[in-house]
């Protein structure tokens, strides 16, 4: 039982994994983030990350648990019903491959992510809604309404490497066929022109820091500590952060954003089907960004449509969805929040590359 933040990370880093057939985490997505990074910080990371991971939802977000349930083709559920569903999936003991994304921060930290990388509105809601954790999953609804009341716009530069051939990606049938047993037996009216845009923040200094612009920023979400050493697969698609992106990358011309979120699972929370086309091992980062100019009304409708995954069919000109292999985000706004798997990380330039089928996950 973890006793403090990053305790699970430390335990897994030093544990004798030969004692267990699998590691099952009952918590929210944050504890699994610790376990994954603890495994990747081991000298034997290549073998350690093959340890099957199981998930039982016990947090307020439970995005990966909801994604596993979704991949099983079952009707969407939440709370206790989601817990029961994930329990049945664990009992089946079927193991699937799981993509992990390597994330590089300006502080030279390297993290491994199984869920998402977010900047702007989504990251703000995730961190600022911590104060509403006592209401469970409804904290995100409350946080969304609060943040809509004071919509922010962030300046930055976004670049990405698009996938070359979408038709070559594994289908749901392809991914489920890789399972093995570890046990012995729209509508365009969703988008409106915005006349309520807040003044865009301009770069005032070279110092960037996490900030929710609130005195109520939770103390529990600290920046992730540096790993003992840099281990893991080579990020052959990425240039160092202090060098330009490769010439064949796509650079987004817009520099004013409401949100940027990179997903590698279907759900962003129990009731947010953010990337309906995502699969556990499709080797794709599902990049969604919303450009400045969207109205509060349109953004609210967008998030309401996300409950059933309909937000990408709204024909809103401010919303862009693209499938990529790697990306780089360089914030210009001096204050802001960046999250990896819902965890607060150092604010500043960040880049990421997905590594297909790196880990193992018990999924039905």
């Amino acid at each position: 039982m973890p006793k403090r933040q990053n305790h699970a990370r430390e335990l897994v880093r030093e544990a004798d994994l030969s004692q267990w057939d699998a590691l099952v985490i009952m918590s929210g997505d944050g504890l699994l983030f610790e376990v994954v990074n603890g495994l990747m910080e081991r000298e034997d990371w290549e073998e350690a990350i093959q340890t099957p991971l199981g998930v039982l939802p016990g947090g307020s977000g439970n995005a990966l648990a909801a994604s596993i349930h979704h991949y099983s083709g079952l009707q969407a559920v939440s709370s206790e019903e989601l817990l029961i569903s994930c329990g049945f999936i664990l009992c089946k003991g079927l193991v699937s491959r799981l993509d992990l994304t390597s994330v590089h921060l300006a502080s030279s930290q390297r993290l491994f992510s199984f869920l998402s990388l977010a900047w702007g509105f989504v990251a703000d809601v995730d961190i600022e809604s911590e104060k509403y954790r006592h209401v469970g999953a409804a904290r995100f609804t409350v946080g969304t309404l609060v943040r809509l009341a004071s919509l922010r716009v962030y300046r930055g530069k976004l670049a990405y490497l698009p996938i070359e051939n979408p038709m070559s990606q594994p289908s749901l049938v392809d991914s489920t066929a890789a399972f093995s047993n570890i046990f012995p037996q729209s509508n365009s009216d969703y988008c409106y022109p915005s006349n309520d845009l807040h003044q865009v923040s301009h770069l005032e200094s070279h110092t960037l820091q996490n900030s929710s612009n609130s005195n109520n920023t939770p103390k529990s979400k600290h920046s992730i500590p540096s790993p003992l050493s840099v281990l893991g697969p080579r990020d052959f698609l990425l240039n160092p952060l202090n060098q330009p992106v490769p010439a064949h990358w796509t650079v987004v011309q817009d520099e004013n954003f409401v949100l940027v979120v990179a997903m590698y699972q279907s759900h962003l929370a129990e009731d947010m089907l953010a990337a309906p086309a995502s699969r556990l091992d499709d080797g794709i980062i599902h990049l969604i960004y919303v450009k400045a100019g969207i109205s509060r009304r349109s953004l609210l409708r967008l998030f309401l449509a996300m409950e059933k995954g309909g937000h990408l069919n709204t024909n809103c000109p401010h919303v862009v969805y693209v499938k990529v292999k790697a990306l780089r985000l360089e914030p210009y706004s001096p204050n802001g929040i960046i999250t990896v798997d819902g965890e607060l990380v150092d604010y500043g330039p960040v880049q990421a590359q997905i590594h297909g089928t790196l880990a193992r996950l018990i999924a039905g």
Side-chain angles (χ1 to χ4, degrees), residues 26 40 64 72 76 79 82 101 133-134 162 173 175 188 201 211 249 258 261 312-313 320 323-324 351 360:
M26 183 172 184
M40 293 302 297
L64 184 59
S72 299
S79 304
L82 180 60
T101 295
R133 183 173 283 273
H134 61 281
V173 174
S175 61
S188 60
S201 299
S211 171
W249 281 36
V258 172
V261 59
L312 300 178
N313 300 319
V320 180
K323 297 177 180 180
V324 308
Q351 62 181 359
R360 299 292 181 267

Side-chain angles (χ1 to χ4, degrees), residues 91 170 172 181 224 303:
C91 291
L172 177 60
N181 199 311
I224 306 302
F303 277 94

Side-chain angles (χ1 to χ4, degrees), residues 15 18 52 74-75 85 142 186 204 248 308 337 361:
S18 65
L74 302 173
Q75 184 177 358
S85 173
V142 176
S186 68
E204 299 174 352
H248 61 286
K308 298 186 182 299
I337 293 175
L361 183 73

Side-chain angles (χ1 to χ4, degrees), residues 31 34 44 105 109 117 156 162 164 181 189 233 248 265 277 285 328-329 332:
L31 193 60
E34 290 190 23
D44 64 344
L105 306 179
Q109 291 174 295
L117 168 66
E164 296 178 357
N181 199 311
D189 67 357
H248 61 286
Q265 302 302 332
I285 297 175
R328 180 185 291 185
L329 171 65
Y332 295 159

Side-chain angles (χ1 to χ4, degrees), residues 223-234:
S223 294
I224 306 302
S226 298
L228 299 178
S229 59
V230 178
L231 301 171
R234 185 172 69 90

